[in-house]
Amino acid sequence: MIVCSLCGGTDVKCVVVVDPNTKEFIEFGYNAFSDGKCEYCGNVPLTDPGEVQADIDRLWAEHMDKHGEAPRYAYCCIARLNFEGAERRFIHIGESQYPEPLGKVFAACTDLQAFKALTVPDLESGREFTVISIEAFSMKLP
Ligand SMILES: [Zn+2]
């Protein structure tokens, strides 16, 4: 289900390509999800949490194959309350062994399950951001 990245609502719109004669759906337009619209929140990125979680699982498995241990950072795209559009940020995963460099890490979570939960919009809990895509996992910050 494709939802608003902030409120999680399904009353959303985005740009698609249709056959102008038959009005048949062909594909989502360029940047359709990042240029979405929610009936309640206005112009916001849209997201499909199920798809994002599937991407996370795939990249996590690739990382584990390659490194044999869980990644410490996720580089991902987030949507944030009161910020227009999406931004790329690092999220720390796991127990902190030492203080994280200030300003480099946007948020932290305990494990893979907790990280995947961040893909589901949840303003009610006080969390004001949603992970809308995963770029990469890493052991270190750049
Ligand atoms: Zn919304």
Side-chain angles (χ1 to χ4, degrees), residues 2-14 32-47 123:
I2 296 162
V3 299
C4 167
S5 59
L6 294 183
C7 73
T10 54
D11 202 347
V12 292
K13 295 182 178 70
C14 70
F33 280 21
S34 48
D35 279 338
K37 201 166 246 172
C38 167
E39 197 57 41
Y40 303 99
C41 308
N43 293 325
V44 290
L46 305 182
T47 187
L123 287 178

Side-chain angles (χ1 to χ4, degrees), residues 71-127:
R72 300 196 51 209
Y73 299 97
Y75 188 50
C76 49
C77 235
I78 61 162
R80 250 209 285 183
L81 193 64
N82 300 327
F83 283 77
E84 221 172 274
E87 29 183 337
R88 286 184 166 77
R89 295 287 177 160
F90 282 97
I91 292 180
H92 178 255
I93 303 169
E95 300 297 323
S96 241
Q97 282 148 353
Y98 47 85
E100 295 297 332
L102 217 60
K104 275 203 163 188
V105 174
F106 177 76
C109 58
T110 51
D111 56 17
L112 175 61
Q113 287 314 314
F115 178 61
K116 283 165 74 174
L118 300 178
T119 64
V120 180
D122 187 9
L123 287 178
E124 276 169 28
S125 74
R127 168 158 54 80

Side-chain angles (χ1 to χ4, degrees), residues 59-73:
L59 285 180
W60 185 280
E62 280 174 14
H63 178 98
M64 291 300 284
D65 275 353
K66 216 164 156 187
H67 301 278
E69 57 179 315
R72 300 196 51 209
Y73 299 97

